């Protein structure tokens, strides 16, 4: 799926996948996830700038022409695709490209939930139901730590 699709920003999270994270596991995974998401947030913003330059007919390219801008756009998309592959390997789902919101599949009380983290936060601080979007996030303190289950598996 192309990161240019801005409709992704408001899509409800799915939190699918075989691996389920506990809060401590999600926080440990943030060491890598934070770097990937920083690249995504910057790259996604750059895509918008490049698309605007192309839409303006190359006027904002400083005389380099639309071909140069298109090539940079393609290169940026490729970098973002690699970042998405890395997130997939970790087992998390990007929910919002511009704000860098990520969901970690988890479980509590025998049901799947999403642990939620946003770019700039130190740790996973929120959660929401699988069928709820990030607008319905709740504080992680409302979810007792002893109810979060760690179930390992492969993503499917």
């Amino acid at each position: 799926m192309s990161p240019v699709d801005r409709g992704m920003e408001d899509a409800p999270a799915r939190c699918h996948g075989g691996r389920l994270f506990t809060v401590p596991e999600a926080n440990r995974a943030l060491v890598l996830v934070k770097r990937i998401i920083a690249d995504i947030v910057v790259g996604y913003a750059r895509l918008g700038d490049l698309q605007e330059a192309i839409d303006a007919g190359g006027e904002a390219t400083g005389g380099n022409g639309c071909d140069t801008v298109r090539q940079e756009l393609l290169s940026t998309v490729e970098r973002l695709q690699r970042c998405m592959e890395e997130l997939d390997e970790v087992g998390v789902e990007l929910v919002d490209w511009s704000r860098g919101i990520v969901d970690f599949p988890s479980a509590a009380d025998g049901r799947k939930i999403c642990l939620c983290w946003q770019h700039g936060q130190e740790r996973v601080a929120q959660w929401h139901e699988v069928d709820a979007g990030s607008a319905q996030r709740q504080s992680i303190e409302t979810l007792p730590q002893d109810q979060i289950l760690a179930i390992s598996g492969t993503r499917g």
Side-chain angles (χ1 to χ4, degrees), residues 23-40:
V23 173
E25 289 171 337
N27 284 324
R28 282 191 299 274
L30 284 178
V31 172
L32 177 58
V33 170
K34 284 180 180 181
R35 291 187 302 225
I36 297 168
I37 292 300
D39 289 345
I40 287 175

Side-chain angles (χ1 to χ4, degrees), residues 1 6 17 20 42-44 50 56 59 62 66-67 83 85 89 93 109 115 122 125-127 131-132 135 148:
M1 187 171 295
R6 292 183 185 268
L20 300 179
V42 170
Y44 186 73
L50 293 167
E59 295 173 17
C66 267
D67 289 341
C83 288
E85 290 167 4
E89 288 175 19
E93 180 179 352
D109 287 336
L115 301 175
E122 277 300 308
Q126 298 172 315
W127 73 278
D131 59 352
I148 298 176

Side-chain angles (χ1 to χ4, degrees), residues 24-112:
E25 289 171 337
N27 284 324
R28 282 191 299 274
L30 284 178
V31 172
L32 177 58
V33 170
K34 284 180 180 181
R35 291 187 302 225
I36 297 168
I37 292 300
D39 289 345
I40 287 175
V41 169
V42 170
Y44 186 73
R46 184 66 183 142
L47 278 183
D49 295 342
L50 293 167
Q51 188 61 55
E52 285 179 21
I54 290 170
D55 292 346
E59 295 173 17
T61 64
N64 291 338
C66 267
D67 289 341
T68 303
V69 176
R70 281 190 181 97
Q71 185 58 43
E72 185 178 347
L73 185 130
L74 291 174
S75 175
T76 301
V77 167
E78 288 172 4
R79 280 194 306 274
L80 288 171
Q81 287 173 333
R82 284 192 301 272
C83 288
M84 291 302 295
E85 290 167 4
E86 291 176 7
L87 289 178
D88 191 49
E89 288 175 19
V90 173
V92 301
E93 180 179 352
L94 177 63
V95 177
D96 186 305
W97 294 82
S98 62
R99 295 186 297 163
I101 297 176
V102 176
D103 282 344
F104 293 80
S106 188
D109 287 336
R111 70 186 192 285
K112 285 192 175 183

Side-chain angles (χ1 to χ4, degrees), residues 20-22 25 106-111 145-151:
L20 300 179
F21 290 82
T22 63
E25 289 171 337
S106 188
D109 287 336
R111 70 186 192 285
Q145 294 293 323
D146 61 345
Q147 291 182 344
I148 298 176
L149 307 174
I151 303 172

